[in-house]
Each structure stands twice: as C-alpha cells, then as structure tokens.
Amino acid sequence: MPEAVLVSAETGDDAAAYRLPDGRALVATVDFFTPIVDDPYDWGRIAAANAFSDVYAMGAEPALALNIVAWPVDDLPLEMLAEVLRGGQAVAAQAGAVVLGGHTITDPEPKYGMVALGFAAPEEIVRNATAPPGAALFLTKPLGTGIVSTAIKRQVAEPEQVQAAVELMATLNAAAARAMREARAEAATDVTGFGLLGHLERMLEVSGVAARLDAGAVPLLPGVLELAERDVVPGGTKRNLAFVRPHLDAASLTEPELLVLADAQTSGGLLVAATRAEELAGALVRLGVPYARIGETVVGEPGRISVAGHLSR
C-alpha cells in the first residue's frame, strides 16, 4: 500500500485519508440513500449532513461535495428533485463546503447523497482503530432515527417525533468534531447504519479492547423505546442486532432495548473514545454540543460489549 495512504478500508473506518504532496491529508467518503422522510428539502438536508458526518468523524473539515442522484423522471417531478438539491446545498453551505456538480441517472427508485471531501492535518486525523483501554465513551446525538423513520413510513409517528428526528439528522457534527480535536480524543466513529452497538463493536475489535456500557446513560429520541416495544423497527436494525448479539453480554436488557441500541441510524452523532474525558466534556459544553458519557473501554476480548442497566424512557 502506498505510504501516502493514511487510512484505508482495512479497519472499516468512516472515510479514506490520503497524504497530499503539500503535507495535508485529503479525507474522502461517499453516501446516499432512498427517502426516509416525506419532505424533499429535509431529505436533502439529512443526506448532506449524513455524508459530511464521515468527514467530521475523521477529524477533518469538509471542503467540497458532489451530488449523487438517481431519479424516476417519468414518475416524480424535477421540481421535487430541485428541492432535494436545495436542501443538500443549504447544509453544505453550513459546513463551509462547495457543491460542484455531480452525477444523475434515471432509476425507478429515488436516491440522493454526496461524495464529500475534506482536509485535515495528518496528525489530527482521528481513527476508529486507536481506542485504548480506560477511555471514556461519549455519544453526541440520541438514538432512534431508524425507528422513527420506520414509524413515518407506517404512519404511526407523532408530529413531535418527526420534527425531533428531522432536526437531529439535519444537524452537522461540526462542533462535536471540533471538541474532539481540541481534547485530542484517541478514537472516534459516527453512529450510522450499523447502530451504536455495531459501530462500537467494530471500533473495539480493530482497537483490540472491550467496553462496558451503561444503558441508562444512552440518550434516546422521545417515544423510541415504546415504538420498539410495538415492533416498529426497521429490518436493518434487526439485522444489526443479529450480527452483534454474539459479542454482547446484556442479559438484563429486553429485546426492544437491544433493538434500540442496535437501531440503524442516519446522520447520527459521534461516538468518541477519550482518556482526557473532562477536557472533552468541557469542550463539548463550551461549543454547545449535547452529549452523554455512556461507558468506557476496558481490557478484554476485542469487540466484547457488556451492557448494564436499562434504557430510560
């Protein structure tokens, strides 16, 4: 592998990182998905925030984006697509990034996302494979967006649940990433499609450590546990739990609680491992980032997760 490759696909990290001739690191990622909310503008906002999240999780700052669009031109109006792109552009502007075109194809199912590029100093790149034992685990957004998105599709979501989920998913992880860099956090990833448990398991496995979680400290969107108890749960969340279950010690938790912890997120928060816990907590407070300290890494079987307590309603 070329020496210029700083982060590759080997550790399943959030983005690739490549050292440029001027010494900076180029951080590159791509993400797109089908609609998860009804409003096209909000879908665009969420998709853009989701794409930039991988750049932030690596400790980089977004600079450039390219749109990726699949659109059923015979079934949905191009005016709707314009709203999707407008939403993406709005969030890119918030991130300080420019959108310079992209690529569009005709497809029976609409899809939208972005290639997101950013820059970082190589020494400031935050990887998922470098969590030491004894690090505090921080989570910067509540869980439950996958379950709420399923509730929207089944038309059982309450308006306040929809609003909370949309605003959460459209919120950039910019300030959380800045706090992470200031506190020199040892490792991080963003919580997206594999859920909290899945992304944590991967971080632990490639870092060679285990973890203990306090279920009661994990923040949730309103009503998410109740929806899980009614089996309003996406198929991806159930697959996540099936994958991670062999790595879990969580006998006290109910099946709905486990499903919430494994819920497939879109544009979730950062999961950060930091030995300078008080420094990170102070930076998050100063920058106005809600957070929860949900556990710690420990010496043990790589990838093993012990969960105690119960989720708060």
Side-chain angles (χ1 to χ4, degrees):
M1 186 176 297
E3 291 184 3
V5 176
L6 302 174
V7 180
S8 70
E10 290 181 352
T11 57
D13 220 318
D14 295 290
Y18 188 87
R19 189 191 303 270
L20 298 173
D22 66 4
R24 293 179 301 166
L26 171 66
V27 174
T29 185
V30 59
D31 210 320
F32 64 100
F33 48 81
T34 57
I36 59 171
V37 294
D38 295 330
D39 185 275
Y41 179 78
D42 283 339
W43 175 28
R45 294 167 64 214
I46 292 165
N50 185 68
F52 290 127
S53 183
D54 286 333
V55 175
Y56 288 126
M58 301 294 293
E61 287 291 329
L64 167 67
L66 300 171
N67 288 318
I68 300 172
V69 178
W71 200 257
V73 293
D74 295 326
D75 300 316
L76 292 177
L78 291 179
E79 291 80 6
M80 183 180 292
L81 173 57
E83 281 297 290
V84 176
L85 298 178
R86 191 170 70 88
Q89 174 65 54
V91 167
Q94 291 176 11
V98 292
V99 182
L100 298 178
H103 187 65
T104 305
I105 64 169
T106 300
D107 191 283
E109 188 173 30
K111 304 174 185 70
Y112 174 65
M114 285 181 167
V115 174
L117 305 176
F119 297 102
E123 65 273 14
E124 291 185 349
I125 288 178
V126 184
R127 298 165 172 82
N128 72 341
T130 49
L137 293 171
F138 288 76
L139 181 64
T140 65
K141 286 185 182 180
L143 302 182
T145 59
I147 288 172
V148 173
S149 297
T150 297
I152 293 171
K153 292 176 183 177
R154 297 186 189 178
Q155 299 183 331
V156 296
E158 298 294 335
E160 58 270 21
Q161 290 176 322
V162 176
Q163 182 178 359
V166 167
E167 291 310 314
L168 185 76
M169 291 186 286
T171 298
L172 291 166
N173 282 323
R178 179 179 171 186
M180 173 180 74
R181 292 193 302 271
E182 288 185 5
R184 294 161 292 157
E186 281 81 0
T189 187
D190 67 335
V191 179
T192 51
F194 296 119
L196 172 63
L197 293 179
H199 286 284
L200 175 59
E201 190 279 332
R202 182 60 176 168
M203 175 191 282
L204 299 172
E205 181 182 354
V206 295
S207 297
V209 295
R212 291 194 293 257
L213 290 187
D214 174 9
V218 177
L220 308 180
L221 283 167
V224 163
L225 182 54
E226 289 78 3
L227 288 169
E229 289 170 342
R230 294 161 52 192
D231 197 33
V232 182
V233 176
T237 292
K238 294 181 178 181
R239 289 189 291 273
N240 286 346
L241 181 55
F243 171 81
V244 78
R245 198 187 294 271
H247 307 279
L248 280 179
D249 296 316
S252 67
L253 273 71
T254 65
E255 191 72 3
E257 288 178 305
L258 292 174
L259 286 166
V260 170
L261 292 175
D263 187 37
Q265 304 297 281
T266 298
S267 191
L270 298 187
L271 174 63
V272 184
T275 55
R276 289 171 282 272
E278 298 309 316
E279 188 174 341
L280 177 56
L284 290 167
V285 170
R286 178 168 46 81
L287 293 171
V289 181
Y291 75 91
R293 185 168 171 174
I294 63 171
E296 63 181 346
T297 59
V298 296
V299 174
E301 178 187 337
R304 198 75 189 170
I305 304 171
S306 299
V307 189
H310 290 281
L311 298 180
S312 300
R313 293 184 182 273

